[in-house]
Amino acid sequence: AQKVTQAQTEISVVEKEDVTLDCVYETRDTTYYLFWYKQPPSGELVFLIRRNFFDEQNEISGRYSWNFQKSTSSFNFTITASQVVDSAVYFCALSEAWSGNTPLVFGKGTRLSVIA
Amino acid sequence: DVKVTQSSRYLVKRTGEKVFLECVQDMDHENMFWYRQDPGLGLRLIYFSYDVKMKEKGDIPEGYSVSREKKERFSLILESASTNQTSMYLCASIGGYLYEQYFGPGTRLTVT
């Protein structure tokens, strides 16, 4: 069975602080994908990143970075110099990868509030 | 741009009514999904479809059915709406070389 755990329900930071959102996953699949999505107050889910099971190289995109470690089954997301516009609910998700077209299993989300 | 649209952003229905939630995607994706989002529970899969007229149950199919008569359209049906089906419903489709799930804007359904 697949499971994604986001232990942090809510995080509040002051603007310009760095913040890390934790994600731990469980899967019996030998091939899988990991994802992060952002859900701003408007409600629409925005795709941020997909990571293949074999690719443990850290990813950086502007102020966003992701750290994937298979040894600890974690796929953490860091926002550097946070901004008010980063306030949203962030979801980590997992899918098996044999076909690439399978449903995602989501964590329960972390609500990030960035205070000016 | 990929477009997944949902027929309504907000919907209010009475207990016992039959409710149709429509989802349309314009990218010729084969795979479409219906999720339900509730506070503290994240997104949970209701049903999905790999092709026209094909459907698979997700984690919480009870009380729901689906219809996929055309490739671009995937409908979620609440045969007899109940108050515990008050929720945000999100439709998604998968496609592209990155197999990204593209989500619609969601329908917030209230059953009174």
Side-chain angles (χ1 to χ4, degrees):
Chain A
Q2 297 176 323
K3 185 179 179 181
V4 175
T5 301
Q6 295 179 253
Q8 303 150 309
T9 305
E10 294 190 30
I11 301 175
S12 185
V13 299
V14 177
E15 201 171 22
K16 298 184 182 177
E17 284 185 355
D18 298 346
V19 58
T20 295
L21 310 182
D22 297 333
C23 173
V24 174
Y25 64 93
E26 297 174 31
T27 181
R28 294 179 184 167
D29 296 316
T30 54
T31 60
Y32 51 90
Y33 296 126
L34 293 164
F35 301 79
W36 276 95
Y37 281 84
K38 174 182 179 180
Q39 187 178 43
S42 61
E44 194 158 349
L45 278 167
V46 178
F47 169 83
L48 295 178
I49 190 171
R50 185 191 83 159
R51 216 68 184 136
N52 292 328
F53 67 96
F54 54 80
D55 187 358
E56 290 192 76
Q57 193 170 11
N58 287 345
E59 176 92 9
I60 298 175
S61 177
R63 296 184 297 107
Y64 295 171
S65 63
W66 291 270
N67 180 264
F68 174 29
Q69 292 193 350
K70 290 181 72 174
S71 61
T72 56
S73 297
S74 66
F75 185 42
N76 295 338
F77 173 31
T78 297
I79 301 174
T80 303
S82 60
Q83 300 176 3
V84 173
V85 293
D86 296 325
S87 297
V89 180
Y90 290 88
F91 291 96
C92 181
L94 165 74
S95 75
E96 57 83 14
W98 69 270
S99 71
N101 290 327
T102 52
L104 270 61
V105 173
F106 284 85
K108 294 182 179 181
T110 297
R111 181 178 298 277
L112 173 65
S113 298
V114 181
I115 303 165
Chain B
D1 281 355
V2 175
K3 276 291 186 185
V4 179
T5 57
Q6 295 182 229
S7 50
S8 305
R9 288 301 301 271
Y10 300 94
L11 209 53
V12 180
K13 295 291 182 181
R14 294 192 181 276
T15 301
E17 278 192 79
K18 189 169 186 176
V19 182
F20 292 87
L21 302 183
E22 305 285 343
C23 175
V24 177
Q25 51 94 4
D26 65 359
M27 286 299 291
D28 202 36
H29 291 170
E30 292 181 345
N31 304 283
M32 296 185 74
F33 307 83
W34 275 105
Y35 293 91
R36 170 177 171 162
Q37 182 180 5
D38 299 288
L41 296 178
L43 277 76
R44 294 179 292 168
L45 182 67
I46 305 172
Y47 266 97
F48 59 104
S49 170
Y50 287 129
D51 204 346
V52 175
K53 297 192 184 296
M54 295 185 70
K55 59 185 180 183
E56 296 282 345
K57 291 181 179 179
D59 299 319
I60 52 166
E62 296 78 18
Y64 303 95
S65 62
V66 290
S67 173
R68 185 101 181 264
E69 296 297 319
K70 293 184 177 182
K71 192 174 185 180
E72 67 270 19
R73 187 180 298 271
F74 191 35
S75 302
L76 180 68
I77 304 160
L78 287 65
E79 294 290 342
S80 178
S82 63
T83 55
N84 63 11
Q85 292 178 310
T86 291
S87 186
M88 169 72 93
Y89 290 87
L90 290 157
C91 175
S93 69
I94 280 185
Y97 74 97
L98 285 180
Y99 294 115
E100 300 161 19
Q101 279 210 355
Y102 296 91
F103 283 85
T107 295
R108 188 170 292 282
L109 172 67
T110 301
V111 182
T112 61

